[in-house]
Amino acid sequence: MCGIIGYIGNRNAMPILIKGLNRLEYRGYDSSGIAVMNDSIQVHKTIGKIQDLESILPDQIDGTMGIAHTRWATHGGVTDNNAHPHLSMDKDIAIVHNGIIENSSAIRKILENKGIIFNSETDTEVIVHLISLARKEGLDPLDSVRSALQVLRGTWGLCVMFHDLNQIICARNGSPLVIGLGESEMFISSDPHPLGEHTQKVVYLEDGDIAVVSNDGLSTHRIEGSTDHKVVTIEEQWGESELGDYPHFMLKEIHEQPEAIRQCISGRTLLSEGTARLGGLNMSKRTMKAIPHVRLIGCGTALYAAQVGRLAIEHLARVPSFAHVASEFRQNDPVIDPKALHFAVSQSGETADTLAAVKYIQENDAKVRGVINVVGSSIARQCGHGVYIHSGPEQAVASTKAFTNMVAALNLFALQIGRSRNLPRAAGRSLVKAMRELPSQTESIINSSAPYMDAVQAIKDAKSVLFLGRGFSAPVAREGALKLMEIAYIPCLAYPAGEMKHGPIALLEEGSPVVVIAPDDIQRDKTISNIQECKARGAKIILIHTEGDNIAEHGDVCFTIPPTEESLSPMLSVIPLQLIAYYTALELDRNVDRPRNLAKSVTVE
Ligand code: G6P
């Protein structure tokens, strides 16, 4: 979703901004734009990709200060005019903005009555006109931004550039903004990712902050009053984020799973004790023993990982656990028990619904721990404590390696809390051993010559695809359906296998593809019955099963996974599903990494 990049220093701003935009591309966007300070503010913007923007840029724009943006449309269609930056009527002030201004229609009417002519349908444009009016009334730049923000309701991460000022003014409320401190140059970004190549020293703005950024430093202020800021050194070294030899980020990230799992579990398991240690949780054994229940909250893939996690916690630790859709959480008036443990599960750490749920829980006097990939992200900071899943940068919109690592991290937690309660040491040791096998097992699945093209042929022209699984495989079915639906645009339905006969069975006809996840666990025999029910109605079964299991005779196209512990099987069984989705999308000529209408980081509720 929308991204911001800003630069002020002694170098030419344009190439730095374009590179920054490329680094933000993974968030999802439909247009982009750039404003560079020359004699006047020069703005270039267009719908489409960053390459489309580059193709309309002059060879050179001299100017050492600029702001740029990738837009994911919310208010107003995907048009050149709606792309950011937006200018004041006299073109003396430019703005880029992430977030949503909820009272923009009312403000727009008032401004139109004052004679302001709008150039776009966006909510953002009201801000730049408000600032411009305030300046004309004699306020200085900082106070003109402050006075505009005081009338806004909603969320913002924004940068404002004035033609007569060698400073960029930024503000944050609900949409993240981070300032990178260089040598006589400063960078501004909506996430730390583009800053890594320039500096490790950053300042995270807090909600309600305004920052005045110049070449040699920054001062931070509040919408009301003033503040000091804290410089943080980013410890996380993001891995290689270029495509390398892969045709798509999704394929690259699927292949990175063995290494990502290694990163996630390394140093966190203790074989002799048969347990795990997650220091970032900041929880004593005593506290763990007293937890009455666990709630896990997330969206999309993170939600399905949370559903696996809740099963693992109940299975290994016998603590009641629940997984919740973040966007439904606070609206449903949940009972919050301050003694309960809450987890916010999120790859980006920026998902607005998840963040809102975190704040709601905290307002109700309970603590929330993060299960997060992006270090220093909004949710991670809001939670304060938690588990980083250490997947490295995930750029394809369809999440893959974050799912496996969320499941790994939640298994580590389930093991730790299980051992602090009644899980026997021997059971803990088996789980640790099984976990340590996962990197090589995932590698063997990825490198096997499985019949992907047969699965693609069975699926690609289907009216719909049904995904079935029981127990730990039910959330995997949902995740497999989500993957195929989001990148191949095929309607997919995921059901607990036993529930299939209460509805989806009506969809089945000759040749209907049904993907069944049936590892060798206690659910296996019942799942075989459901396979029979599907086959009796002409369905074609695409089966994921454990190596060597004679269940294979029930499948039309079969994929195998190595044997593992029940709670870990989702990390293996999901991989063929990721690859089936990938190859089907390729066959249908879809944009695998940037599927239509979707965003990587969804920062609106
Ligand atoms: C978007 C992405 C999904 C992701 C979900 C939650 O919908 O397209 O891939 O699973 O957001 O994102 P999070 O960053 O919170 O895990």
Side-chain angles (χ1 to χ4, degrees), residues 405-469:
N405 272 22
M406 285 167 182
V407 173
L410 289 169
N411 260 286
L412 288 168
F413 171 73
L415 175 60
Q416 186 174 353
I417 185 171
R419 290 286 293 125
S420 75
R421 296 162 85 114
N422 292 323
L423 186 75
R425 186 160 161 266
R429 280 173 60 90
S430 312
L431 195 74
V432 170
K433 280 189 194 150
M435 278 192 175
R436 293 183 179 182
E437 294 290 313
L438 288 166
S440 63
Q441 291 180 323
T442 45
E443 204 159 294
S444 75
I445 299 172
I446 292 165
N447 295 330
S448 75
S449 49
Y452 286 105
M453 288 314 127
D454 296 343
V456 170
Q457 287 312 316
I459 284 172
K460 72 179 176 55
D461 300 316
K463 278 191 279 189
S464 65
V465 183
L466 182 59
F467 285 73
L468 301 176

Side-chain angles (χ1 to χ4, degrees), residues 248-285:
H248 297 100
F249 278 107
M250 184 177 176
L251 189 65
K252 175 172 186 264
E253 289 157 9
I254 289 171
H255 279 254
E256 283 170 348
Q257 285 174 113
E259 187 49 34
I261 295 168
R262 226 169 258 132
Q263 294 279 352
C264 181
I265 62 175
S266 79
R268 287 170 161 176
T269 54
L270 301 168
L271 183 59
S272 57
E273 297 295 312
T275 191
R277 194 164 290 156
L278 296 168
L281 284 179
N282 199 30
M283 275 172 82
S284 68
K285 214 169 164 178

Side-chain angles (χ1 to χ4, degrees), residues 125-202:
E125 202 184 334
V126 300
I127 314 174
V128 72
H129 295 311
L130 283 172
I131 297 170
S132 175
L133 283 181
R135 276 228 80 184
K136 292 204 163 79
E137 279 165 18
L139 295 187
D140 67 24
L142 171 61
D143 279 336
S144 62
V145 171
R146 183 182 267 145
S147 74
L149 298 182
Q150 281 166 349
V151 296
L152 303 181
R153 205 180 60 233
T155 53
W156 57 82
L158 57 83
C159 291
V160 187
M161 205 165 73
F162 297 82
H163 93 287
D164 56 349
L165 191 72
N166 202 25
Q167 288 171 337
I168 297 173
I169 299 187
C170 318
R172 170 192 167 135
N173 194 47
S175 293
L177 219 49
V178 51
I179 298 167
L181 285 60
E183 292 291 326
S184 305
E185 58 183 358
M186 304 284 277
F187 307 84
I188 304 149
S189 177
S190 44
D191 71 44
H193 186 38
L195 302 183
E197 66 190 274
H198 301 296
T199 177
Q200 299 295 109
K201 298 256 176 286
V202 299

Side-chain angles (χ1 to χ4, degrees), residues 299-302 345-351 354 397-399 406 486 598-602:
C299 303
T301 291
V345 186
S346 174
Q347 188 283 127
S348 62
E350 302 298 346
T351 303
T354 310
V397 165
S399 183
M406 285 167 182
E486 52 182 4
L598 291 171
K600 183 70 181 159
S601 179
V602 180

